[in-house]
Amino acid sequence: MPISLTPELFSRVQPLFSVQARRHLFCAGVLAGKYAGQVIVDDPDQPRSAMVLKGEMWAYLGGDAHNAAFNQALGAALAAKQFVGQDGWGVLFNAPSAAWRSVLDTLVADRLPIATPRFLYVAKVGHFRGAPPMPQGFALRFIDASLAAEVAGEMPADVQNVLNLRANSPQPDQAAFGYAAVQDQTCVSWAVVDCIVGDQGEIGLVTRSAYQKRGLGMAVSGATIAYGLAHGLAEIHWDVVSYNIASVRMAEKHGLQLCQTYDQNLIIFGQVSYLANLAWDHLDRGRFQATLDVCAQLLALENGQKYGHFLSGAAQGGLGNGEKAFFHLHQAVDHGWDDAGELENCAPLQGLRGTEAWEALRARLLGDKSELVNGGEDTAGEWLMGT
């Protein structure tokens, strides 16, 4: 059986993760004892193979990938949710080597990993063009206690997390920092660095959908990077899924260096969640017929109607079959799908915008709501859904 090490023994596996820990701060942070996590090994005295797990979901594999006994025992433990909790819906394996990638294909029975390519950009002094100005009509504000006087209502969760981390640290800049764009007492865009290990940090960026394409993401992320590089950080990581074109372009406009292309491999336990995420992955890559093939399995399941119909509609839109697309989209609404933001931002459906059928569907979703709210395109980091 795999064994979970006690934190004082984490140093024993550091040589197994020397490469990954340099580029993946969750891994480095757990091993350094800065962030809560688990280290699972084959032998606590002389580890040969190991997994670092943060938050019961972010996983890193190191050491000997050909350790059959460890691999078999680890797969059985994950299937039983031994390390991820009974509410865990999946595990994200980040940047495995080619050998470990082969192991993932058979790690959990009947669950092929969904591989998503990601780009890791790095900001360094000399490889960053500086912060652009804030667009007119918006205020750029550092995220600290004074922000509360300028924002009405509840803070965005990312912003509140930075406030909490800074308030509870004797050295706030080593805990978290960031900038927000404020208009009419509302945070409309924000960039935060709340994962810091040594002299490296990782940035996250969100712009509300109604405020995108105005340069806000560039301004708040540029200010945040500039602050970090001037206050003790040698590198700031910008980690983005490859098909988030807006985020990729922002990283390149900032002059950041592309230092790694890697796969994030998602293994999902539940059948509906697995099929929905697999179909969504095909859709994101423009593989519309493959999306429909997976959706056929999804629609056959009792709880698969909502996402099965939405994803079928999106795929049919990508294939240019408007009538079939709207049939499935209305069926999705009938089964509880209500994400108007997803409708507006779904690339395969853009050819249907503005039609009478589009406006009728949009009216069903919006009701009396005047604004669409979605994570949006100005994000450095995305999540697949856990349905």
Side-chain angles (χ1 to χ4, degrees):
M1 282 293 292
I3 298 169
S4 182
L5 289 181
T6 54
E8 64 270 15
L9 300 180
F10 284 4
S11 60
R12 294 182 179 180
V13 304
Q14 285 182 336
L16 305 182
F17 294 92
S18 57
V19 174
Q20 291 190 68
R22 282 201 300 270
R23 289 303 181 203
H24 297 276
L25 299 189
F26 279 174
C27 180
V30 170
L31 292 177
K34 183 166 186 180
Y35 299 114
Q38 303 174 71
V39 175
I40 292 92
V41 299
D42 59 334
D43 183 343
D45 296 319
Q46 294 182 311
R48 175 180 153 201
S49 306
M51 177 177 73
V52 172
L53 191 62
K54 180 186 182 294
E56 298 185 340
M57 188 172 76
W58 298 84
Y60 305 85
L61 294 164
D64 184 3
H66 303 290
N67 187 342
F70 175 76
N71 297 344
Q72 183 177 1
L74 179 62
L78 290 174
K81 299 187 178 181
Q82 180 179 341
F83 302 115
V84 299
Q86 290 305 306
D87 293 331
W89 60 272
V91 180
L92 287 160
F93 290 92
N94 293 274
S97 65
W100 277 114
R101 178 64 182 80
S102 297
V103 171
L104 291 178
D105 287 341
T106 58
L107 188 62
V108 177
D110 301 320
R111 288 294 182 271
L112 284 172
I114 301 171
T116 302
R118 299 187 68 91
F119 297 153
L120 177 58
Y121 291 88
V122 172
K124 301 179 182 179
V125 174
H127 295 284
F128 171 57
R129 296 192 177 120
M134 174 61 63
Q136 189 173 1
F138 298 89
L140 179 67
R141 294 291 181 261
F142 188 72
I143 299 173
D144 62 12
S146 66
L147 185 63
E150 299 189 44
V151 174
E154 189 174 354
M155 290 283 189
D158 297 330
V159 175
Q160 187 60 55
N161 184 51
V162 170
L163 293 173
N164 294 343
L165 289 171
R166 292 182 65 84
N168 294 323
S169 174
Q171 297 177 300
D173 287 343
Q174 294 182 19
F177 56 87
Y179 278 86
V182 178
Q183 186 185 64
D184 297 330
Q185 295 186 291
T186 301
C187 287
V188 299
S189 180
W190 54 91
V192 303
V193 174
D194 55 7
C195 178
I196 300 172
V197 181
D199 61 359
Q200 296 179 312
E202 183 165 322
I203 190 169
L205 169 63
V206 175
T207 298
R208 296 187 190 275
S209 60
Y211 296 88
Q212 291 170 8
K213 300 181 180 178
R214 303 190 194 188
L216 295 171
M218 282 291 293
V220 295
S221 61
T224 300
I225 292 170
Y227 185 90
L229 295 179
H231 289 79
L233 294 188
E235 293 185 357
I236 296 179
H237 296 182
W238 183 297
D239 195 328
V240 58
V241 68
S242 62
Y243 48 74
N244 188 339
I245 303 302
S247 187
V248 169
R249 287 175 178 167
M250 274 196 286
E252 293 173 348
K253 286 180 181 178
H254 279 313
L256 309 191
Q257 290 182 306
L258 177 62
C259 70
Q260 186 181 15
T261 298
Y262 71 95
D263 279 346
Q264 186 177 71
N265 295 270
L266 175 61
I267 292 181
I268 301 175
F269 304 125
Q271 180 74 346
V272 170
S273 295
Y274 169 65
L275 291 174
N277 279 271
L278 182 59
W280 213 305
D281 182 63
H282 286 314
L283 184 72
D284 281 334
R285 297 167 187 258
R287 300 190 295 235
F288 302 128
Q289 186 55 56
T291 304
L292 292 172
D293 292 342
V294 175
C295 283
Q297 302 176 60
L298 193 57
L299 290 170
L301 299 176
E302 181 179 354
N303 297 320
Q305 304 297 310
K306 179 170 68 171
Y307 288 106
H309 280 297
F310 168 71
L311 293 164
S312 293
Q316 293 290 0
L319 292 170
N321 301 325
E323 185 175 347
K324 292 181 179 179
F326 285 116
F327 167 79
H328 282 291
L329 292 171
H330 279 285
Q331 287 289 310
V333 175
D334 290 342
H335 286 89
W337 178 74
D338 60 358
D339 194 337
E342 189 65 58
L343 177 72
E344 294 288 339
N345 292 320
C346 185
L349 293 174
Q350 296 309 296
L352 303 178
R353 291 183 65 133
T355 64
E356 184 176 342
W358 175 273
E359 294 304 325
L361 176 65
R362 191 170 181 272
R364 283 193 71 190
L365 286 172
L366 287 178
D368 61 355
K369 291 180 284 186
S370 60
E371 179 181 342
L372 303 178
V373 177
N374 185 265
E377 60 191 12
D378 287 0
T379 46
E382 306 73 20
W383 292 83
L384 288 169
M385 65 173 188
T387 56

